[in-house]
Amino acid sequence: PKAQATLASFTHLWNKHWSVHQQPVHSLEEELESMGQCTVLESVRLGRPVKWSIEVSEAVFTDGELPALLLQPALENAMWHGLAHSKVAPKLHIDIRPVNDWPHGVEITVLDNGVGLPSKHIAPAPSRHGVASVGLDLVRQKLAMVHPEASFHMTPASPPWSTAAVFKLPLSPPEA
């Protein structure tokens, strides 16, 4: 059963990555499904289960579209740099709230309870080695294409969480 679940998650993500050039946007609902599959795979890599939860405000338009795999670099960053080195049971939470700045605007926060970020990580682009993170730079590029004021930043979070990756953007209505 574990091998089947891992293979199913891998297949889902492979298909999503493969088609991202043909279909560069998808619904928020599809994005959250992909992040669940990514979490399953990363749990296998960590060698321990990652407790995963999502909270979406009822006011959020989940059929709205965003760049495909937009959240994936932040989720992987949390897994590889926060949770992999943590001694506590790993947890991830995605919180999605409406933002009134734009029609169908959302703030998506990816929270983890890992080791947290040193203060030098809070700056917009540097990574732990002083080199820009390719994945997080791609996030910023995708957001710039969505809206000039769309944003992404990482910050310390309130307990029980250690780190928050915060996306703010308008969702596009689905194409007919």
Side-chain angles (χ1 to χ4, degrees):
K2 185 176 180 179
Q4 288 175 330
T6 302
L7 180 60
S9 294
F10 176 78
T11 302
H12 173 87
L13 283 174
W14 176 264
N15 288 334
K16 201 46 87 172
H17 280 283
W18 186 261
S19 68
V20 76
H21 296 295
Q22 295 169 348
Q23 187 178 355
V25 297
H26 62 191
S27 72
L28 175 59
E29 189 173 332
E30 290 173 300
E31 180 75 358
L32 295 174
E33 181 182 329
S34 291
M35 293 309 97
Q37 301 300 328
C38 188
T39 302
V40 168
L41 288 176
E42 290 299 327
S43 293
V44 171
R45 187 188 67 79
L46 284 176
R48 56 188 176 153
V50 174
K51 187 174 179 183
W52 162 256
S53 60
I54 300 171
E55 185 175 347
V56 181
S57 167
E58 289 182 15
V60 170
F61 179 57
T62 58
D63 287 341
E65 294 183 335
L66 70 165
L69 302 171
L70 178 69
L71 304 179
Q72 190 245 352
L75 188 130
E76 283 189 0
N77 201 44
M79 295 287 241
W80 296 354
H81 301 296
L83 299 178
H85 305 292
S86 178
K87 302 295 182 211
V88 299
K91 295 179 187 175
L92 285 171
H93 178 72
I94 295 180
D95 184 67
I96 305 172
R97 302 279 165 225
V99 172
N100 296 326
D101 297 355
W102 305 295
H104 307 297
V106 293
E107 182 174 271
I108 303 170
T109 305
V110 179
L111 297 156
D112 73 74
N113 71 335
V115 297
L117 295 171
S119 60
K120 66 181 179 179
H121 286 215
I122 299 168
S127 75
R128 65 183 187 172
H129 297 95
V131 177
S133 164
V134 173
L136 298 181
D137 282 347
L138 287 172
V139 165
R140 288 181 183 91
Q141 289 173 17
K142 285 181 177 184
L143 285 172
M145 290 186 289
V146 170
H147 192 280
E149 295 177 28
S151 64
F152 168 76
H153 68 277
M154 294 180 68
T155 185
S158 299
W161 308 108
S162 60
T163 306
V166 183
F167 301 77
K168 185 177 174 185
L169 69 150
L171 300 176
S172 302
E175 293 182 20

